[in-house]
Amino acid sequence: MSNPIDYDAPRRPAVEVEGDSLEELKARGAASQSARVDLDEAEAAENFELPGADLSGEELTVAVVPMQSDEFRCARCFLVHHRSQLGARPDGREVCQECS
């Protein structure tokens, strides 16, 4: 059976790290850095526009239909449901099946 692995231990022993020269450390650090520039995500999102996304001149018209006699408004979620969705009536309030 092998010894358990300590994942918090340094990958290289401290003796090997101390033996590295300054030039080797600089070369290793330069190789690990990428040439790409990190952009601020918020700044990138501000400058990005979808085609046809400007809807400021549009007007939305929706026909509002009053609640019908075979419908009820749920006392918990406040959505209008058909009477077939009527669940329990705690305290005389109408509640849909999803909320009961």
Side-chain angles (χ1 to χ4, degrees), residues 7-48:
Y7 291 102
D8 294 329
R11 302 251 181 216
R12 295 177 57 200
V15 175
E16 290 182 23
V17 174
E18 291 175 3
D20 290 344
S21 67
L22 183 59
E23 289 78 21
E24 289 176 14
L25 292 173
K26 285 182 181 179
R28 195 176 313 139
S32 66
Q33 293 178 355
S34 64
R36 67 183 176 119
V37 178
D38 293 330
L39 296 176
D40 184 19
E41 292 179 13
E43 182 180 329
E46 288 176 4
N47 297 333
F48 185 75

Side-chain angles (χ1 to χ4, degrees), residues 7-97:
Y7 291 102
D8 294 329
R11 302 251 181 216
R12 295 177 57 200
V15 175
E16 290 182 23
V17 174
E18 291 175 3
D20 290 344
S21 67
L22 183 59
E23 289 78 21
E24 289 176 14
L25 292 173
K26 285 182 181 179
R28 195 176 313 139
S32 66
Q33 293 178 355
S34 64
R36 67 183 176 119
V37 178
D38 293 330
L39 296 176
D40 184 19
E41 292 179 13
E43 182 180 329
E46 288 176 4
N47 297 333
F48 185 75
E49 278 192 40
L50 295 172
D54 183 20
L55 300 175
S56 60
E58 297 295 319
E59 185 174 321
L60 181 64
T61 56
V62 176
V64 178
V65 180
M67 193 166 60
Q68 304 297 310
S69 61
D70 61 343
E71 296 175 331
F72 72 98
R73 182 179 299 112
C74 177
R76 290 189 183 160
C77 67
F78 303 106
L79 294 176
V80 175
H81 297 278
H82 189 265
R83 287 270 173 215
S84 64
Q85 297 295 316
L86 185 61
R89 291 184 175 194
D91 303 328
R93 298 185 307 161
E94 295 177 330
V95 180
C96 68
Q97 290 177 354

